[in-house]
Amino acid sequence: MSASLPRILLTGFDPFGGEVINPSWETVRALHGRRIGGHQVVARLLPTEFAGSLRALKAALRETAPTIVLGVGQAGGRKQLSIERVAINVQDARIPDNAGAQPVDEPVIAGGPAAYFSTLPIKTMLAALHAHGLPAEISQSAGTYVCNHVAYAMLHLASKRRGVRAGFIHIPYLPVQAARLRGAASMAQADAERALEIALRAAIGTRIDRKLAAGSID
Ligand code: PCA
């Protein structure tokens, strides 16, 4: 790690739910060490576990002292890259996590606010992706599984550190996963890597987000 450059912490997850790879880790590990917009990227793997992910996240934050934290996760079935707007203070697991835990209707942080909004300029990031011909959307829910859990905790921890901005992006399956799943949407790893780089560059260069309609009615 360069001592002089500000750092971006990028996190990805290990495989879960019967998969043998997770596109989030494959993508962020490929960006590890890259320089983006005068920042150095540091990638860290988080386990797909409610408790373990937060332990690993806290250690990574301590170790890297980033100015930007971007969590990345797999959202199997989504058709395009999803920039998450919000993380909510709930854990409601449809399947057990990789440690066998299956919390239902528990808070991520007892006594914490109901939700945190991303502190990255999500609309500017979206517009940058579209301008580069990459399919992306704003997502109004990061779910209630480990990704939402990590996104909420990141935003909670970042809210206590001056000058630290945080957000979360879900990416679709990789083609190699979709080939087995017959009909599932996918995004090539090279596109996902390029998309994260473009989104991060947009985030670094923008303090005040633009207003751009990207809501949903469902
Ligand atoms: N996706 C899961 C957890 C780990 C991952 O990559 C989720 O969306 O919650």
Side-chain angles (χ1 to χ4, degrees):
M1 264 189 299
S2 151
S4 53
L5 291 179
R7 283 179 287 278
I8 296 168
L9 173 61
L10 267 186
T11 66
F13 288 97
D14 64 1
F16 69 102
E19 292 293 326
V20 294
I21 54 168
N22 188 319
S24 66
W25 176 238
E26 299 305 320
T27 305
V28 305
R29 82 200 290 196
L31 295 174
H32 178 78
R34 207 71 75 86
R35 285 190 186 185
I36 299 178
H39 290 57
Q40 184 177 19
V41 175
V42 182
R44 288 289 182 267
L45 176 68
L46 305 180
T48 302
E49 299 172 13
F50 285 93
S53 61
L54 296 203
R55 280 196 298 271
L57 172 65
K58 285 177 186 161
L61 286 169
R62 253 196 320 274
E63 184 204 340
T64 61
T67 56
I68 292 185
V69 191
L70 181 66
V72 183
Q74 163 188 308
R78 289 210 192 160
K79 297 189 181 69
Q80 49 190 345
L81 182 145
S82 302
I83 305 170
E84 300 295 346
R85 185 197 292 267
V86 62
I88 59 177
N89 193 12
V90 72
Q91 316 173 50
D92 188 354
R94 191 171 44 78
I95 56 170
D97 70 11
N98 285 353
Q102 191 169 8
V104 172
D105 295 351
E106 305 278 348
V108 177
I109 294 176
Y116 282 106
F117 286 119
S118 172
T119 48
L120 298 180
I122 58 171
K123 300 293 183 68
T124 304
M125 293 156 77
L126 179 71
L129 292 172
H130 288 165
H132 284 84
L134 289 159
E137 65 186 349
I138 300 296
S139 160
Q140 322 301 338
S141 168
T144 57
Y145 195 50
V146 181
C147 286
N148 172 74
H149 186 71
V150 162
Y152 183 92
M154 267 177 187
L155 287 162
H156 182 76
L157 295 167
S159 74
K160 299 180 190 312
R161 291 173 167 80
R162 256 180 91 96
V164 182
R165 298 186 291 157
F168 199 94
I169 285 180
H170 265 120
I171 54 180
Y173 287 129
L174 290 172
V176 67
Q177 296 173 287
R180 265 197 315 104
L181 294 165
R182 303 292 146 82
S186 65
M187 178 178 268
Q189 190 181 322
D191 285 348
E193 282 171 31
R194 205 158 69 85
L196 291 184
E197 186 164 354
I198 289 163
L200 284 166
R201 189 161 284 125
I204 289 163
T206 309
R207 287 283 151 179
I208 305 209
D209 203 5
R210 58 193 276 193
K211 279 194 204 276
L212 178 75
S216 96
I217 51 171
D218 54 18

